[in-house]
Amino acid sequence: MKLKLTLLIIALMFGARIFAQSGFPFDNEIRDFKHQDSLSFPKSNGILFIGSSSIRKWTDLEQRFAGKPIIRRGVGGCELSQLVKYYTPYILFPYHPRKIFIYAGENDIAAGETADSVFTNFKTLWVMIRKELPNAEIYFMSIKPSPSRAEHFNEFIKANTLIEKYLAGKPHSLFVDVNTVIYKTETSRPDSTLFENDYLHLNNSGYDRWQKVLEPYVN
């Protein structure tokens, strides 16, 4: 009888965890990450990359920074607002990383959100991280000007400016400009040759540029 009761409790707990990872955008990817964690959970004090498909599709990120405790948790076309609302309990806080690189906000604006809204969500996320992980270093990677989203460039620039100013006086926090390196020479427009055919995601040459910018911080 006691054994049956124990098994029932375990089953209910497991079911609750699965349910908690369901019912929000890209919940299938979150479940995949948690399954991966159940097989080999990342060690604490790692270097976490979190955000949208620009992180998810950086499939050789771990190899580019070989020997570093990289944890890559890019989620589909996720928005910064979704990191705030849904994902942090599953693919951020449990890892207790010492460094957190965030790439998000581009999809929010493309979906109709304003730069001010993205900024508000980032401030909320920053406070959440600082409260839960007070010693973690937070790096916000600038929202890139994807050629396919040229109509949103002004909002991208505004959001980047607001976040950069906000982080300027914050401890253990840094705004990282990953845009300048993907501009055409002597312009502030993106070099389309650094993107895949969708003109939205970086290709290997584009990630080469990002790698050079990030190398001083991934240590």
Side-chain angles (χ1 to χ4, degrees), residues 36-87:
Q36 182 179 333
D37 290 346
S38 72
L39 301 176
S40 178
F41 196 84
K43 294 181 179 179
S44 297
N45 298 314
I47 301 173
L48 175 66
F49 281 77
I50 194 168
S52 62
S53 55
S54 289
I55 301 301
R56 179 176 61 84
K57 291 174 70 67
W58 198 351
T59 54
D60 64 347
L61 177 63
E62 295 88 341
Q63 287 71 45
R64 286 174 179 267
F65 296 105
K68 306 297 183 182
I70 302 295
I71 308 167
R72 182 168 56 91
R73 293 295 181 266
V75 179
C78 90
E79 301 175 6
L80 184 56
S81 62
Q82 292 164 353
L83 288 176
V84 171
K85 294 176 183 177
Y86 308 118
Y87 303 139

Side-chain angles (χ1 to χ4, degrees), residues 203-215:
N203 58 28
N204 283 336
S205 296
Y207 283 123
D208 287 343
R209 304 284 183 92
W210 272 19
Q211 180 182 353
K212 290 179 180 178
V213 174
L214 295 173
E215 278 176 345

Side-chain angles (χ1 to χ4, degrees), residues 6-191:
T6 300
L7 292 174
L8 176 61
I9 292 172
I10 292 173
L12 289 172
M13 290 176 63
F14 180 76
R17 290 182 64 186
I18 293 297
F19 178 79
Q21 294 162 19
S22 303
F24 50 69
F26 309 105
D27 55 357
N28 60 315
E29 294 187 27
I30 301 302
R31 288 195 296 273
D32 287 344
F33 285 137
K34 299 320 293 177
H35 175 68
Q36 182 179 333
D37 290 346
S38 72
L39 301 176
S40 178
F41 196 84
K43 294 181 179 179
S44 297
N45 298 314
I47 301 173
L48 175 66
F49 281 77
I50 194 168
S52 62
S53 55
S54 289
I55 301 301
R56 179 176 61 84
K57 291 174 70 67
W58 198 351
T59 54
D60 64 347
L61 177 63
E62 295 88 341
Q63 287 71 45
R64 286 174 179 267
F65 296 105
K68 306 297 183 182
I70 302 295
I71 308 167
R72 182 168 56 91
R73 293 295 181 266
V75 179
C78 90
E79 301 175 6
L80 184 56
S81 62
Q82 292 164 353
L83 288 176
V84 171
K85 294 176 183 177
Y86 308 118
Y87 303 139
T88 54
Y90 305 110
I91 55 171
L92 197 164
F93 296 144
Y95 305 132
H96 297 281
R98 59 184 173 87
K99 292 176 181 273
I100 304 166
F101 289 83
I102 302 165
Y103 184 82
E106 182 181 352
N107 290 326
D108 304 58
I109 291 172
E113 293 295 324
T114 64
D116 290 317
S117 175
V118 169
F119 177 48
T120 296
N121 279 314
F122 176 74
K123 288 190 293 184
T124 300
L125 179 62
W126 188 90
V127 170
M128 290 168 63
I129 294 173
R130 187 55 66 230
K131 181 178 179 181
E132 188 76 17
L133 303 168
N135 297 316
E137 297 178 16
I138 302 170
Y139 298 85
F140 182 84
M141 299 164 60
S142 59
I143 299 171
K144 74 182 189 301
S146 301
S148 63
R149 291 174 167 173
E151 70 272 23
H152 301 297
F153 281 4
N154 288 338
E155 287 298 301
F156 293 159
I157 292 169
K158 182 178 179 181
N160 283 332
T161 300
L162 289 169
I163 293 171
E164 183 176 15
K165 289 181 177 178
Y166 177 75
L167 292 180
K170 296 291 186 292
H172 307 300
S173 303
L174 186 68
F175 176 90
V176 183
D177 175 13
V178 292
N179 287 358
T180 302
V181 293
I182 60 172
Y183 289 159
K184 294 179 182 178
T185 304
E186 298 181 354
T187 75
S188 59
R189 309 295 290 183
D191 183 347

